[in-house]
Amino acid sequence: MKKEFIKETARDIIALGGVPFFILVLVRVAILSKPDFLLQFLLAGVIFLLINFLVKTNLYSGLGLIILIFTSLYYNDLKFSIFASLVYVGLISSLVYLKSNKKEIIKGVLLGVLSSAISYYLVKVIFYE
């Protein structure tokens, strides 16, 4: 019973990097009336998903990282960033525990970083230069 609880908890944590949660965050961001922040999320998500179709990566590790990066930048609060980072480490640990492909997890993380960086700089150019 304990092992089943751990597996179920791991799946729940992984869901925080899933498409439905990403959409939920997008809707919340849209309510903020901050078009630059919304565009960062949208662009990063679209870039990630497009490249993900070409290069097989772990969807959860990439989208989860995009959420971590942009929510941490938005809130600009060390305590929140630490908490969100710990949740993300839990997500990655859960993927490993449930025996996801480690190479795909790493590629997802790298693609999440790349997508976030591209999106961040494109939005910076569009809105602030």
Side-chain angles (χ1 to χ4, degrees), residues 1 8 16 19 23 26 32 34 42-45 47 52 54 70 79-81 85 89-91 93 97 102 107 113 120:
M1 183 135 99
E8 189 174 323
L16 295 172
V19 173
I23 292 170
L26 280 177
L32 295 174
K34 294 189 140 276
L42 280 172
L43 278 175
I47 291 167
N52 192 51
L54 302 173
F70 288 120
K79 291 175 189 172
F80 174 82
S81 296
S85 296
V89 167
L91 186 153
S93 300
Y97 176 78
K102 290 178 184 165
K107 286 193 273 184
V113 169
Y120 179 82

PDB file of all heavy atoms in Angstrom, residues 1 8 16 19 23 26 32 34 42-45 47 52 54 70 79-81 85 89-91 93 97 102 107 113 120:
ATOM      1  N   MET A   1       0.822  -1.194   0.000  1.00  0.00           N
ATOM      2  CA  MET A   1       0.000   0.000   0.000  1.00  0.00           C
ATOM      3  C   MET A   1       0.875   1.270   0.000  1.00  0.00           C
ATOM      4  O   MET A   1       0.560   2.224  -0.677  1.00  0.00           O
ATOM      5  CB  MET A   1      -0.930  -0.014   1.208  1.00  0.00           C
ATOM      6  CG  MET A   1      -1.853   1.162   1.218  1.00  0.00           C
ATOM      7  SD  MET A   1      -3.536   0.785   1.587  1.00  0.00           S
ATOM      8  CE  MET A   1      -3.643   1.205   3.276  1.00  0.00           C
ATOM      9  N   GLU A   8       1.502   7.007  -6.749  1.00  0.00           N
ATOM     10  CA  GLU A   8       0.406   7.937  -7.020  1.00  0.00           C
ATOM     11  C   GLU A   8       0.828   9.378  -6.750  1.00  0.00           C
ATOM     12  O   GLU A   8       0.524  10.283  -7.529  1.00  0.00           O
ATOM     13  CB  GLU A   8      -0.804   7.573  -6.155  1.00  0.00           C
ATOM     14  CG  GLU A   8      -2.048   8.343  -6.512  1.00  0.00           C
ATOM     15  CD  GLU A   8      -3.262   7.852  -5.743  1.00  0.00           C
ATOM     16  OE1 GLU A   8      -3.384   6.641  -5.517  1.00  0.00           O
ATOM     17  OE2 GLU A   8      -4.084   8.705  -5.388  1.00  0.00           O
ATOM     18  N   LEU A  16       2.195  18.534 -12.550  1.00  0.00           N
ATOM     19  CA  LEU A  16       2.487  19.968 -12.499  1.00  0.00           C
ATOM     20  C   LEU A  16       3.299  20.438 -13.710  1.00  0.00           C
ATOM     21  O   LEU A  16       3.440  21.633 -13.936  1.00  0.00           O
ATOM     22  CB  LEU A  16       3.221  20.315 -11.204  1.00  0.00           C
ATOM     23  CG  LEU A  16       2.407  20.104  -9.927  1.00  0.00           C
ATOM     24  CD1 LEU A  16       3.288  20.298  -8.698  1.00  0.00           C
ATOM     25  CD2 LEU A  16       1.206  21.021  -9.894  1.00  0.00           C
ATOM     26  N   VAL A  19       0.427  19.521 -19.771  1.00  0.00           N
ATOM     27  CA  VAL A  19      -0.255  20.510 -20.613  1.00  0.00           C
ATOM     28  C   VAL A  19      -1.457  21.138 -19.901  1.00  0.00           C
ATOM     29  O   VAL A  19      -1.612  22.363 -19.938  1.00  0.00           O
ATOM     30  CB  VAL A  19      -0.657  19.891 -21.976  1.00  0.00           C
ATOM     31  CG1 VAL A  19      -1.509  20.846 -22.785  1.00  0.00           C
ATOM     32  CG2 VAL A  19       0.593  19.491 -22.758  1.00  0.00           C
ATOM     33  N   ILE A  23      -1.748  25.156 -19.270  1.00  0.00           N
ATOM     34  CA  ILE A  23      -2.875  25.964 -19.748  1.00  0.00           C
ATOM     35  C   ILE A  23      -3.512  26.718 -18.582  1.00  0.00           C
ATOM     36  O   ILE A  23      -3.865  27.893 -18.718  1.00  0.00           O
ATOM     37  CB  ILE A  23      -3.897  25.089 -20.494  1.00  0.00           C
ATOM     38  CG1 ILE A  23      -3.287  24.589 -21.809  1.00  0.00           C
ATOM     39  CG2 ILE A  23      -5.192  25.848 -20.764  1.00  0.00           C
ATOM     40  CD1 ILE A  23      -4.098  23.522 -22.517  1.00  0.00           C
ATOM     41  N   LEU A  26      -1.405  29.612 -17.932  1.00  0.00           N
ATOM     42  CA  LEU A  26      -1.603  30.609 -18.994  1.00  0.00           C
ATOM     43  C   LEU A  26      -2.869  31.427 -18.762  1.00  0.00           C
ATOM     44  O   LEU A  26      -2.864  32.654 -18.936  1.00  0.00           O
ATOM     45  CB  LEU A  26      -1.687  29.934 -20.364  1.00  0.00           C
ATOM     46  CG  LEU A  26      -0.393  29.545 -21.025  1.00  0.00           C
ATOM     47  CD1 LEU A  26      -0.669  28.824 -22.335  1.00  0.00           C
ATOM     48  CD2 LEU A  26       0.491  30.739 -21.258  1.00  0.00           C
ATOM     49  N   LEU A  32      -3.897  38.633 -15.540  1.00  0.00           N
ATOM     50  CA  LEU A  32      -3.040  39.670 -14.950  1.00  0.00           C
ATOM     51  C   LEU A  32      -2.971  40.944 -15.778  1.00  0.00           C
ATOM     52  O   LEU A  32      -2.487  41.963 -15.301  1.00  0.00           O
ATOM     53  CB  LEU A  32      -1.617  39.137 -14.758  1.00  0.00           C
ATOM     54  CG  LEU A  32      -1.433  38.009 -13.768  1.00  0.00           C
ATOM     55  CD1 LEU A  32       0.013  37.508 -13.814  1.00  0.00           C
ATOM     56  CD2 LEU A  32      -1.792  38.464 -12.369  1.00  0.00           C
ATOM     57  N   LYS A  34      -0.966  41.560 -18.221  1.00  0.00           N
ATOM     58  CA  LYS A  34       0.449  41.851 -18.488  1.00  0.00           C
ATOM     59  C   LYS A  34       0.809  41.117 -19.782  1.00  0.00           C
ATOM     60  O   LYS A  34       1.250  39.968 -19.743  1.00  0.00           O
ATOM     61  CB  LYS A  34       1.327  41.380 -17.330  1.00  0.00           C
ATOM     62  CG  LYS A  34       1.098  42.142 -16.048  1.00  0.00           C
ATOM     63  CD  LYS A  34       2.165  41.727 -15.061  1.00  0.00           C
ATOM     64  CE  LYS A  34       2.649  42.874 -14.281  1.00  0.00           C
ATOM     65  NZ  LYS A  34       3.640  43.719 -14.753  1.00  0.00           N
ATOM     66  N   LEU A  42       3.526  32.024 -23.616  1.00  0.00           N
ATOM     67  CA  LEU A  42       3.012  31.465 -24.866  1.00  0.00           C
ATOM     68  C   LEU A  42       4.136  31.088 -25.830  1.00  0.00           C
ATOM     69  O   LEU A  42       4.150  29.987 -26.378  1.00  0.00           O
ATOM     70  CB  LEU A  42       2.061  32.442 -25.546  1.00  0.00           C
ATOM     71  CG  LEU A  42       0.643  32.503 -25.014  1.00  0.00           C
ATOM     72  CD1 LEU A  42      -0.121  33.649 -25.659  1.00  0.00           C
ATOM     73  CD2 LEU A  42      -0.072  31.186 -25.251  1.00  0.00           C
ATOM     74  N   LEU A  43       5.053  32.013 -26.037  1.00  0.00           N
ATOM     75  CA  LEU A  43       6.156  31.744 -26.964  1.00  0.00           C
ATOM     76  C   LEU A  43       7.004  30.570 -26.495  1.00  0.00           C
ATOM     77  O   LEU A  43       7.348  29.687 -27.294  1.00  0.00           O
ATOM     78  CB  LEU A  43       7.038  32.980 -27.127  1.00  0.00           C
ATOM     79  CG  LEU A  43       6.575  34.040 -28.108  1.00  0.00           C
ATOM     80  CD1 LEU A  43       7.501  35.243 -28.067  1.00  0.00           C
ATOM     81  CD2 LEU A  43       6.497  33.481 -29.510  1.00  0.00           C
ATOM     82  N   ALA A  44       7.336  30.551 -25.230  1.00  0.00           N
ATOM     83  CA  ALA A  44       8.155  29.455 -24.703  1.00  0.00           C
ATOM     84  C   ALA A  44       7.436  28.121 -24.880  1.00  0.00           C
ATOM     85  O   ALA A  44       8.042  27.131 -25.293  1.00  0.00           O
ATOM     86  CB  ALA A  44       8.493  29.696 -23.235  1.00  0.00           C
ATOM     87  N   GLY A  45       6.131  28.103 -24.587  1.00  0.00           N
ATOM     88  CA  GLY A  45       5.358  26.876 -24.743  1.00  0.00           C
ATOM     89  C   GLY A  45       5.277  26.416 -26.184  1.00  0.00           C
ATOM     90  O   GLY A  45       5.457  25.230 -26.483  1.00  0.00           O
ATOM     91  N   ILE A  47       7.327  27.262 -28.720  1.00  0.00           N
ATOM     92  CA  ILE A  47       8.670  26.865 -29.175  1.00  0.00           C
ATOM     93  C   ILE A  47       8.996  25.471 -28.650  1.00  0.00           C
ATOM     94  O   ILE A  47       9.460  24.600 -29.395  1.00  0.00           O
ATOM     95  CB  ILE A  47       9.741  27.885 -28.706  1.00  0.00           C
ATOM     96  CG1 ILE A  47       9.557  29.211 -29.439  1.00  0.00           C
ATOM     97  CG2 ILE A  47      11.153  27.332 -28.913  1.00  0.00           C
ATOM     98  CD1 ILE A  47      10.349  30.370 -28.845  1.00  0.00           C
ATOM     99  N   ASN A  52       9.704  19.889 -29.654  1.00  0.00           N
ATOM    100  CA  ASN A  52       9.432  18.581 -29.050  1.00  0.00           C
ATOM    101  C   ASN A  52       8.885  17.585 -30.075  1.00  0.00           C
ATOM    102  O   ASN A  52       9.096  16.386 -29.955  1.00  0.00           O
ATOM    103  CB  ASN A  52       8.468  18.733 -27.874  1.00  0.00           C
ATOM    104  CG  ASN A  52       8.373  17.470 -27.044  1.00  0.00           C
ATOM    105  OD1 ASN A  52       9.390  16.922 -26.630  1.00  0.00           O
ATOM    106  ND2 ASN A  52       7.174  17.010 -26.804  1.00  0.00           N
ATOM    107  N   LEU A  54       9.907  17.469 -33.127  1.00  0.00           N
ATOM    108  CA  LEU A  54      11.062  17.067 -33.932  1.00  0.00           C
ATOM    109  C   LEU A  54      12.057  16.223 -33.144  1.00  0.00           C
ATOM    110  O   LEU A  54      12.643  15.282 -33.682  1.00  0.00           O
ATOM    111  CB  LEU A  54      11.773  18.314 -34.473  1.00  0.00           C
ATOM    112  CG  LEU A  54      10.926  19.260 -35.329  1.00  0.00           C
ATOM    113  CD1 LEU A  54      11.706  20.528 -35.640  1.00  0.00           C
ATOM    114  CD2 LEU A  54      10.493  18.565 -36.607  1.00  0.00           C
ATOM    115  N   PHE A  70       9.363  31.309 -15.488  1.00  0.00           N
ATOM    116  CA  PHE A  70       8.596  32.541 -15.661  1.00  0.00           C
ATOM    117  C   PHE A  70       7.781  32.936 -14.435  1.00  0.00           C
ATOM    118  O   PHE A  70       7.596  34.123 -14.184  1.00  0.00           O
ATOM    119  CB  PHE A  70       7.743  32.472 -16.927  1.00  0.00           C
ATOM    120  CG  PHE A  70       8.581  32.576 -18.172  1.00  0.00           C
ATOM    121  CD1 PHE A  70       8.592  31.558 -19.098  1.00  0.00           C
ATOM    122  CD2 PHE A  70       9.382  33.674 -18.399  1.00  0.00           C
ATOM    123  CE1 PHE A  70       9.379  31.633 -20.242  1.00  0.00           C
ATOM    124  CE2 PHE A  70      10.185  33.773 -19.531  1.00  0.00           C
ATOM    125  CZ  PHE A  70      10.177  32.750 -20.458  1.00  0.00           C
ATOM    126  N   LYS A  79      11.840  33.316  -1.621  1.00  0.00           N
ATOM    127  CA  LYS A  79      11.142  32.212  -0.944  1.00  0.00           C
ATOM    128  C   LYS A  79      10.279  31.433  -1.935  1.00  0.00           C
ATOM    129  O   LYS A  79      10.264  30.201  -1.919  1.00  0.00           O
ATOM    130  CB  LYS A  79      10.281  32.732   0.204  1.00  0.00           C
ATOM    131  CG  LYS A  79      11.085  33.267   1.356  1.00  0.00           C
ATOM    132  CD  LYS A  79      10.182  33.868   2.410  1.00  0.00           C
ATOM    133  CE  LYS A  79      10.991  34.595   3.452  1.00  0.00           C
ATOM    134  NZ  LYS A  79      10.158  35.337   4.388  1.00  0.00           N
ATOM    135  N   PHE A  80       9.558  32.155  -2.801  1.00  0.00           N
ATOM    136  CA  PHE A  80       8.753  31.474  -3.809  1.00  0.00           C
ATOM    137  C   PHE A  80       9.637  30.683  -4.761  1.00  0.00           C
ATOM    138  O   PHE A  80       9.339  29.540  -5.102  1.00  0.00           O
ATOM    139  CB  PHE A  80       7.886  32.453  -4.606  1.00  0.00           C
ATOM    140  CG  PHE A  80       7.157  31.773  -5.734  1.00  0.00           C
ATOM    141  CD1 PHE A  80       5.976  31.095  -5.491  1.00  0.00           C
ATOM    142  CD2 PHE A  80       7.670  31.771  -7.018  1.00  0.00           C
ATOM    143  CE1 PHE A  80       5.313  30.423  -6.513  1.00  0.00           C
ATOM    144  CE2 PHE A  80       7.025  31.114  -8.046  1.00  0.00           C
ATOM    145  CZ  PHE A  80       5.839  30.440  -7.788  1.00  0.00           C
ATOM    146  N   SER A  81      10.734  31.300  -5.197  1.00  0.00           N
ATOM    147  CA  SER A  81      11.630  30.632  -6.147  1.00  0.00           C
ATOM    148  C   SER A  81      12.234  29.362  -5.554  1.00  0.00           C
ATOM    149  O   SER A  81      12.351  28.344  -6.250  1.00  0.00           O
ATOM    150  CB  SER A  81      12.747  31.576  -6.590  1.00  0.00           C
ATOM    151  OG  SER A  81      12.199  32.672  -7.295  1.00  0.00           O
ATOM    152  N   SER A  85      11.381  25.747  -7.008  1.00  0.00           N
ATOM    153  CA  SER A  85      12.522  24.918  -7.423  1.00  0.00           C
ATOM    154  C   SER A  85      12.478  23.552  -6.746  1.00  0.00           C
ATOM    155  O   SER A  85      12.774  22.532  -7.378  1.00  0.00           O
ATOM    156  CB  SER A  85      13.844  25.612  -7.094  1.00  0.00           C
ATOM    157  OG  SER A  85      13.970  26.806  -7.838  1.00  0.00           O
ATOM    158  N   VAL A  89      12.306  19.979  -8.521  1.00  0.00           N
ATOM    159  CA  VAL A  89      13.202  18.862  -8.209  1.00  0.00           C
ATOM    160  C   VAL A  89      12.362  17.624  -7.888  1.00  0.00           C
ATOM    161  O   VAL A  89      12.703  16.501  -8.297  1.00  0.00           O
ATOM    162  CB  VAL A  89      14.148  19.218  -7.036  1.00  0.00           C
ATOM    163  CG1 VAL A  89      14.858  17.988  -6.491  1.00  0.00           C
ATOM    164  CG2 VAL A  89      15.157  20.261  -7.476  1.00  0.00           C
ATOM    165  N   GLY A  90      11.251  17.818  -7.194  1.00  0.00           N
ATOM    166  CA  GLY A  90      10.331  16.711  -6.927  1.00  0.00           C
ATOM    167  C   GLY A  90       9.763  16.136  -8.215  1.00  0.00           C
ATOM    168  O   GLY A  90       9.611  14.918  -8.347  1.00  0.00           O
ATOM    169  N   LEU A  91       9.451  17.006  -9.166  1.00  0.00           N
ATOM    170  CA  LEU A  91       8.940  16.556 -10.463  1.00  0.00           C
ATOM    171  C   LEU A  91       9.983  15.688 -11.175  1.00  0.00           C
ATOM    172  O   LEU A  91       9.682  14.590 -11.645  1.00  0.00           O
ATOM    173  CB  LEU A  91       8.572  17.770 -11.324  1.00  0.00           C
ATOM    174  CG  LEU A  91       7.899  17.531 -12.668  1.00  0.00           C
ATOM    175  CD1 LEU A  91       7.052  18.732 -13.037  1.00  0.00           C
ATOM    176  CD2 LEU A  91       8.864  17.243 -13.769  1.00  0.00           C
ATOM    177  N   SER A  93      12.553  14.149  -9.816  1.00  0.00           N
ATOM    178  CA  SER A  93      12.748  12.929  -9.021  1.00  0.00           C
ATOM    179  C   SER A  93      11.622  11.936  -9.269  1.00  0.00           C
ATOM    180  O   SER A  93      11.861  10.721  -9.348  1.00  0.00           O
ATOM    181  CB  SER A  93      12.812  13.273  -7.527  1.00  0.00           C
ATOM    182  OG  SER A  93      13.876  14.145  -7.262  1.00  0.00           O
ATOM    183  N   TYR A  97      11.919   8.218 -10.607  1.00  0.00           N
ATOM    184  CA  TYR A  97      11.345   7.140  -9.800  1.00  0.00           C
ATOM    185  C   TYR A  97      10.402   6.262 -10.624  1.00  0.00           C
ATOM    186  O   TYR A  97      10.401   5.042 -10.486  1.00  0.00           O
ATOM    187  CB  TYR A  97      10.600   7.731  -8.597  1.00  0.00           C
ATOM    188  CG  TYR A  97       9.894   6.691  -7.762  1.00  0.00           C
ATOM    189  CD1 TYR A  97      10.604   5.897  -6.868  1.00  0.00           C
ATOM    190  CD2 TYR A  97       8.523   6.488  -7.878  1.00  0.00           C
ATOM    191  CE1 TYR A  97       9.965   4.923  -6.106  1.00  0.00           C
ATOM    192  CE2 TYR A  97       7.877   5.520  -7.131  1.00  0.00           C
ATOM    193  CZ  TYR A  97       8.603   4.741  -6.245  1.00  0.00           C
ATOM    194  OH  TYR A  97       7.964   3.781  -5.507  1.00  0.00           O
ATOM    195  N   LYS A 102      15.768   8.706 -18.978  1.00  0.00           N
ATOM    196  CA  LYS A 102      16.609   9.776 -18.415  1.00  0.00           C
ATOM    197  C   LYS A 102      17.147  10.722 -19.485  1.00  0.00           C
ATOM    198  O   LYS A 102      17.244  11.926 -19.263  1.00  0.00           O
ATOM    199  CB  LYS A 102      17.747   9.186 -17.591  1.00  0.00           C
ATOM    200  CG  LYS A 102      17.255   8.561 -16.300  1.00  0.00           C
ATOM    201  CD  LYS A 102      18.371   7.939 -15.508  1.00  0.00           C
ATOM    202  CE  LYS A 102      17.753   7.251 -14.291  1.00  0.00           C
ATOM    203  NZ  LYS A 102      18.658   6.347 -13.642  1.00  0.00           N
ATOM    204  N   LYS A 107      16.890  16.046 -22.075  1.00  0.00           N
ATOM    205  CA  LYS A 107      16.576  16.836 -23.281  1.00  0.00           C
ATOM    206  C   LYS A 107      15.399  17.767 -23.024  1.00  0.00           C
ATOM    207  O   LYS A 107      15.384  18.897 -23.515  1.00  0.00           O
ATOM    208  CB  LYS A 107      16.287  15.911 -24.468  1.00  0.00           C
ATOM    209  CG  LYS A 107      17.526  15.253 -25.041  1.00  0.00           C
ATOM    210  CD  LYS A 107      17.251  14.615 -26.390  1.00  0.00           C
ATOM    211  CE  LYS A 107      16.745  13.220 -26.244  1.00  0.00           C
ATOM    212  NZ  LYS A 107      16.549  12.521 -27.529  1.00  0.00           N
ATOM    213  N   VAL A 113      14.934  25.162 -21.041  1.00  0.00           N
ATOM    214  CA  VAL A 113      15.848  26.299 -20.859  1.00  0.00           C
ATOM    215  C   VAL A 113      15.956  27.089 -22.155  1.00  0.00           C
ATOM    216  O   VAL A 113      15.838  28.324 -22.164  1.00  0.00           O
ATOM    217  CB  VAL A 113      17.247  25.828 -20.393  1.00  0.00           C
ATOM    218  CG1 VAL A 113      18.261  26.960 -20.468  1.00  0.00           C
ATOM    219  CG2 VAL A 113      17.190  25.253 -18.992  1.00  0.00           C
ATOM    220  N   TYR A 120      12.133  34.771 -23.656  1.00  0.00           N
ATOM    221  CA  TYR A 120      12.457  35.920 -22.800  1.00  0.00           C
ATOM    222  C   TYR A 120      13.085  37.043 -23.619  1.00  0.00           C
ATOM    223  O   TYR A 120      12.681  38.201 -23.514  1.00  0.00           O
ATOM    224  CB  TYR A 120      13.402  35.470 -21.680  1.00  0.00           C
ATOM    225  CG  TYR A 120      13.819  36.582 -20.760  1.00  0.00           C
ATOM    226  CD1 TYR A 120      12.991  36.990 -19.721  1.00  0.00           C
ATOM    227  CD2 TYR A 120      15.038  37.235 -20.925  1.00  0.00           C
ATOM    228  CE1 TYR A 120      13.367  38.025 -18.864  1.00  0.00           C
ATOM    229  CE2 TYR A 120      15.425  38.260 -20.088  1.00  0.00           C
ATOM    230  CZ  TYR A 120      14.583  38.657 -19.055  1.00  0.00           C
ATOM    231  OH  TYR A 120      14.954  39.684 -18.220  1.00  0.00           O
TER     232      TYR A 120
END
